[in-house]
Amino acid sequence: MRHAHRRVAPALVALVCLGALSACGDDADDSAEPVEVEVGKAFSWNGFEIADGWKLTSVERSVNGDAVTTPNVKGTITNSSGEERAAIFEMVFSADSEPIATLSCSAPKMVEDQSQQFECPGLSATMPEDYDAVVVQPYVRDTGTGSSSSSSSG
């Protein structure tokens, strides 16, 4: 599973930036690590608490006239930090240490102890049928196609 974490790690820097949608805040925790989670189970990440009961569902969409099934995750997130901020992060589903679906997640700005719905529409991903790990990590802005460097900072 080391391969999956190596591919996931560059994206991790962005999740540290949950406090802002476009850039890291001064209080971001630069030592944050990816968190492996179980679908539907509560977890904490970077001053946010995700409640038990979040769901992975499939959505039928039409892309260029073809029917495709994409993933969608929804749940409740609470800001447990002392400052107002929005949540933005990724969920990466992997099988045999290889990423198979990456979903970008977000929730509106919240004050301390406020809860909101978060959603992760997998518009460019196919529904992961068989996965063995789900990792929550920082959001990484895709700067285009092609290879990216193995390290990133944000």
Side-chain angles (χ1 to χ4, degrees):
M1 270 215 231
R2 290 287 178 213
H3 259 339
H5 290 294
R6 192 174 343 155
R7 296 211 32 180
V8 168
L12 187 57
V13 175
L15 188 54
V16 174
C17 303
L18 283 176
L21 291 173
S22 61
C24 287
D26 292 336
D27 297 326
D29 178 5
D30 292 331
S31 65
E33 295 290 326
V35 175
E36 189 167 335
V37 301
E38 290 184 49
V39 172
K41 302 290 183 183
F43 66 91
S44 299
W45 176 254
N46 196 33
F48 288 100
E49 306 295 325
I50 289 66
D52 251 348
W54 58 276
K55 296 184 185 316
L56 168 66
T57 59
S58 60
V59 177
E60 291 291 325
R61 301 183 194 278
S62 178
V63 176
N64 298 327
D66 294 327
V68 296
T69 303
T70 63
N72 192 64
V73 170
K74 288 184 181 181
T76 302
I77 188 169
T78 302
N79 179 6
S80 57
S81 79
E83 61 187 286
E84 181 178 13
R85 60 199 185 126
I88 184 166
F89 56 97
E90 291 181 340
M91 285 190 177
V92 179
F93 293 77
S94 62
D96 298 325
S97 301
E98 290 297 320
I100 56 173
T102 300
L103 284 62
S104 298
C105 306
S106 63
K109 278 189 176 181
M110 298 169 273
V111 296
E112 183 176 12
D113 296 328
Q114 182 181 4
S115 297
Q116 295 275 354
Q117 289 298 117
F118 75 93
E119 185 167 9
C120 313
L123 300 176
S124 62
T126 56
M127 184 68 182
E129 299 287 329
D130 186 24
Y131 56 91
D132 53 26
V134 181
V135 173
V136 172
Q137 66 182 30
Y139 171 79
V140 174
R141 182 174 296 180
D142 185 5
T143 57
T145 58
S147 77
S148 62
S149 66
S150 61
S151 65
S152 176
S153 62

